[in-house]
Amino acid sequence: MKLEPTAEQKALLVEAACQVRRWSYSPYSHYPVGAALLTTSGKVYDGVNVENASFPLANCAERTAIFKAVSQGEKDFLAIAVVTENAGSPCGACRQVMAEFGLDTLVIIADSAGKIRLETTVAELLPGAFTPADLPH
Ligand code: THU
């Protein structure tokens, strides 16, 4: 059975995602996003969106956090918090990247005041996800 993060862990994640938002590099959209990812080992990896003058090269906060974690050898995730001004929802690309590492991961969506607006799962955000299990080899 998958571990559930405690209320305290959820609050810490939201706080971490709120704090890291200040490092967002978003001079084009002016839409700073912060994410914080909790691993089963108890570590937190944060991330921000990083935009580029070549617009399509922007990397979302969620993927930044996930790639940081995976780069450190972590790929078992309990929860990810995403904070934007208006509690915006993770984009499709981020949902797919989250799905790679587990459909049960809790996704906590909060606004910049730190108010949790939605708690959901990757499975709910991406029904019928294409996952590693779909590949024959
Ligand atoms: N963005 C994220 O960081 N995460 C999402 O899931 C949605 C969009 C970023 C990308 C871009 O830098 C800005 O928000 C506006 O789209």
Side-chain angles (χ1 to χ4, degrees):
M1 208 191 73
K2 180 113 178 162
L3 282 173
E4 267 278 316
T6 64
E8 194 189 351
Q9 284 175 314
K10 290 180 196 174
L12 281 171
L13 270 191
V14 170
E15 174 60 17
C18 274
Q19 289 299 326
V20 79
R21 243 180 115 233
R22 76 189 61 195
W23 301 117
S24 162
Y25 181 74
S26 44
Y28 307 107
S29 72
H30 305 287
Y31 190 73
V33 185
L37 181 67
L38 176 66
T39 68
T40 52
S41 65
K43 293 203 189 93
V44 174
Y45 292 87
D46 57 32
V48 297
N49 52 332
V50 182
E51 298 182 348
N52 193 281
S54 175
F55 292 178
L57 298 185
N59 200 62
C60 292
E62 300 92 315
R63 279 178 288 143
T64 301
I66 292 168
F67 295 158
K68 280 170 72 174
V70 174
S71 302
Q72 297 297 306
E74 302 268 3
K75 47 187 168 48
D76 296 320
F77 307 136
L78 281 182
I80 185 167
V82 187
V83 171
T84 57
E85 184 183 344
N86 58 347
S89 196
C91 80
C94 289
R95 294 176 192 210
Q96 179 65 34
V97 170
M98 290 176 193
E100 178 74 17
F101 300 103
L103 298 173
D104 294 335
T105 304
L106 182 69
V107 182
I108 304 165
I109 300 173
D111 63 26
S112 52
K115 184 176 167 39
I116 295 177
R117 301 268 203 94
L118 182 68
E119 283 188 35
T120 183
T121 62
V122 175
E124 282 175 354
L125 287 175
L126 194 62
F130 182 79
T131 70
D134 290 305
L135 290 173
H137 308 296

